[in-house]
C-alpha cells in the first residue's frame, strides 16, 4: 500500500481538541482561626470589664438598668455632676435622657465593645460587674444610641464569615477549578478579596483594643480627678521618662 493511500483516511484534516472540564469546588480560608475569634472576644470583654469595674465606684451609688446593649443610669440625688466627663474619659458614649418617673439626672451609656462582640454573636453580661436593677424601663427607641459598631455589623458578609469561623474554624467559599486533559489549570475564586477583608478586620480590632486600653487610662485619670476635687485637691499629670504620674495638689 502506497503512502498516497493515507489521504483516503483523512489524516491531514485531523485537528486535536483538548478535553476541558470545569469543577465547582469549595475553597477553605484560614486567615483568622477559631482561636483568633476567641482571643478577640476575651480581649474586648476584658477591656469593658476594666472600664465598668472602675466606673462602679460611682455607679454603685446610683440606680442602674440594662436596656439592650446600653445602661440606663439614674443619679437620683445628683451625687456625681461630673459623670459625663468621667464616662467620656473611658471612651464610652453617654447622654442625658428623660424617663417618666425618674428623678434627678438620668443618662444612657453605651460602649462600642458591645457592638463588636455582637459580630461573633456574643452579648455582654453587665451583671458581672454591676448591680443591675431588674425592673422594666420604658424608654423611647429614639433615645437609644444607634448601633455602636455599625461599620462592622452592617457588613453582613463579614459577620457571616466571623460566625462561620467561630463555628467551623475556617471560611468556606465557592470556587471553580479548570482541567485540561485532566491537568489542573488553577482555581478561580474570591479567595484574595476575602483574605484581605478578614485581615483588615483583624487589624482594625487590634487597633480598637489598643485604643480602648488608652481610654481605660484616661477614664481612670478623670475618675481620680473627680474624687480628688471632692477632697479639695486637683490632679496634675507629670511625665517621668515615658510614664505619666498623677500628683495631688492641695487647693488653697
Amino acid at each position: 500500500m502506497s503512502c498516497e493511500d493515507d489521504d483516503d483516511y483523512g489524516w491531514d484534516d485531523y485537528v486535536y481538541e483538548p478535553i476541558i472540564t470545569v469543577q465547582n469546588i469549595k475553597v477553605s480560608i484560614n486567615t483568622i482561626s477559631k482561636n483568633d475569634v476567641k482571643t478577640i472576644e476575651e480581649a474586648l470583654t476584658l477591656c469593658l470589664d476594666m472600664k465598668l469595674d472602675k466606673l462602679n465606684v460611682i455607679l454603685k451609688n446610683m440606680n442602674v438598668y440594662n436596656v439592650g446593649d446600653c445602661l440606663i443610669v439614674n443619679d437620683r440625688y445628683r451625687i456625681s455632676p461630673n459623670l459625663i466627663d468621667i464616662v467620656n474619659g473611658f471612651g464610652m458614649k453617654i447622654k442625658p435622657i428623660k424617663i417618666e418617673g425618674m428623678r434627678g439626672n438620668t443618662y444612657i451609656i453605651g460602649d462600642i465593645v458591645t457592638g463588636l462582640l455582637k459580630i461573633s454573636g456574643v452579648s455582654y453580661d453587665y451583671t458581672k460587674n454591676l448591680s443591675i436593677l431588674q425592673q422594666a424601663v420604658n424608654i423611647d427607641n429614639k433615645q437609644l444610641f444607634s448601633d455602636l459598631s455599625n461599620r462592622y455589623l452592617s457588613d453582613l458578609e463579614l459577620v457571616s464569615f466571623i460566625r462561620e469561623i467561630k463555628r467551623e474554624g475556617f471560611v468556606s467559599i465557592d470556587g471553580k477549578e479548570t482541567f485540561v486533559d485532566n491537568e489542573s489549570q488553577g482555581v478561580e475564586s474570591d479567595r484574595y478579596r476575602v483574605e484581605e477583608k478578614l485581615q483588615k478586620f483583624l487589624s482594625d480590632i487590634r487597633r480598637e483594643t489598643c485604643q480602648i486600653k488608652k481610654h481605660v487610662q484616661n477614664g481612670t485619670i478623670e475618675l481620680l480627678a473627680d474624687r480628688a476635687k471632692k477632697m479639695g485637691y486637683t490632679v496634675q499629670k507629670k511625665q517621668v521618662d515615658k510614664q505619666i504620674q498623677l500628683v495631688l495638689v492641695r487647693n488653697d
Side-chain angles (χ1 to χ4, degrees), residues 154-182:
S154 61
D155 188 340
L156 299 183
E157 182 186 54
L158 175 63
V159 173
S160 175
F161 288 159
I162 298 303
R163 295 187 182 184
E164 183 178 359
I165 292 170
K166 184 177 179 179
R167 185 175 62 251
E168 305 292 341
F170 57 89
V171 169
S172 179
I173 63 173
D174 294 327
K176 292 185 177 181
E177 186 170 10
T178 302
F179 293 86
V180 176
D181 291 340
N182 293 323

Side-chain angles (χ1 to χ4, degrees), residues 17 24 38 44 53 55 91 93 96 106 114-115 124 167 172 194 200 235-236 242:
E17 293 186 3
N24 293 324
K38 181 180 179 181
L44 291 173
D53 183 60
L55 271 176
K93 298 291 185 180
T106 304
T114 59
Y124 184 81
R167 185 175 62 251
S172 179
V194 173
K200 182 179 184 304
V235 175
Q236 294 182 355
K242 295 183 178 181

Side-chain angles (χ1 to χ4, degrees), residues 58-59 61-63 73-84 86 96-99 101-107 226 230:
I58 296 177
L59 298 184
N61 298 314
M62 305 177 187
N63 294 325
V73 175
N74 177 228
D75 185 4
R76 182 182 180 88
Y77 301 107
R78 296 184 172 89
I79 61 176
S80 183
N82 298 319
L83 184 62
I84 290 179
I86 295 171
I97 59 174
K98 294 292 184 181
I99 297 180
M102 290 190 180
R103 300 178 181 178
N105 297 327
T106 304
Y107 309 89
D226 179 68
K230 293 176 181 178

Side-chain angles (χ1 to χ4, degrees), residues 8-252:
D8 295 336
Y9 294 93
W11 296 113
D12 289 343
D13 296 331
Y14 176 75
V15 177
Y16 170 72
E17 293 186 3
I19 300 174
I20 301 175
T21 59
V22 177
Q23 294 183 2
N24 293 324
I25 63 172
K26 289 292 184 180
V27 179
S28 297
I29 299 176
N30 302 292
T31 305
I32 297 179
S33 67
K34 182 182 292 189
N35 189 59
D36 288 331
V37 175
K38 181 180 179 181
T39 300
I40 289 171
E41 291 176 352
E42 290 176 347
L44 291 173
T45 299
L46 179 60
C47 286
L48 189 48
D49 284 347
M50 289 190 293
K51 290 183 182 183
L52 295 177
D53 183 60
K54 294 182 180 298
L55 271 176
N56 197 38
V57 172
I58 296 177
L59 298 184
K60 67 182 180 182
N61 298 314
M62 305 177 187
N63 294 325
V64 182
Y65 309 85
N66 180 203
V67 177
D69 293 324
C70 299
L71 294 173
I72 304 298
V73 175
N74 177 228
D75 185 4
R76 182 182 180 88
Y77 301 107
R78 296 184 172 89
I79 61 176
S80 183
N82 298 319
L83 184 62
I84 290 179
D85 291 336
I86 295 171
V87 173
N88 282 333
F90 280 102
M92 305 175 77
K93 298 291 185 180
I94 180 172
K95 64 180 180 181
I97 59 174
K98 294 292 184 181
I99 297 180
E100 186 177 353
M102 290 190 180
R103 300 178 181 178
N105 297 327
T106 304
Y107 309 89
I108 182 170
I109 298 175
D111 195 288
I112 190 176
V113 167
T114 59
L116 294 175
L117 287 171
K118 283 171 63 178
I119 296 172
S120 62
V122 174
S123 295
Y124 184 81
D125 181 11
Y126 283 108
T127 62
K128 294 186 305 178
N129 303 286
L130 304 174
S131 295
I132 303 294
L133 297 178
Q134 299 303 314
Q135 297 97 305
V137 176
N138 295 320
I139 179 171
D140 186 342
N141 286 337
K142 293 181 180 179
Q143 297 190 78
L144 291 170
F145 291 116
S146 59
D147 205 302
L148 292 168
S149 61
N150 187 58
R151 56 178 167 154
Y152 297 112
L153 282 170
S154 61
D155 188 340
L156 299 183
E157 182 186 54
L158 175 63
V159 173
S160 175
F161 288 159
I162 298 303
R163 295 187 182 184
E164 183 178 359
I165 292 170
K166 184 177 179 179
R167 185 175 62 251
E168 305 292 341
F170 57 89
V171 169
S172 179
I173 63 173
D174 294 327
K176 292 185 177 181
E177 186 170 10
T178 302
F179 293 86
V180 176
D181 291 340
N182 293 323
E183 290 190 9
S184 177
Q185 304 302 302
V187 175
E188 294 183 9
S189 72
D190 263 357
R191 181 188 192 94
Y192 296 115
R193 181 188 68 81
V194 173
E195 287 179 336
E196 184 177 359
K197 172 176 279 193
L198 292 174
Q199 188 59 54
K200 182 179 184 304
F201 171 73
L202 195 59
S203 298
D204 286 348
I205 289 296
R206 286 171 177 163
R207 185 169 57 252
E208 291 283 1
T209 302
C210 289
Q211 190 66 30
I212 291 169
K213 290 179 179 178
K214 291 180 181 178
H215 287 152
V216 172
Q217 295 175 348
N218 294 335
T220 301
I221 292 173
E222 290 291 341
L223 190 60
L224 291 174
D226 179 68
R227 296 177 68 182
K229 184 178 180 180
K230 293 176 181 178
M231 295 165 40
Y233 291 86
T234 57
V235 175
Q236 294 182 355
K237 297 180 184 180
K238 183 179 180 181
Q239 184 164 346
V240 179
D241 295 328
K242 295 183 178 181
Q243 295 184 339
I244 300 295
Q245 294 184 354
L246 303 181
V247 180
L248 291 179
V249 178
R250 181 72 182 181
N251 295 329
D252 296 330

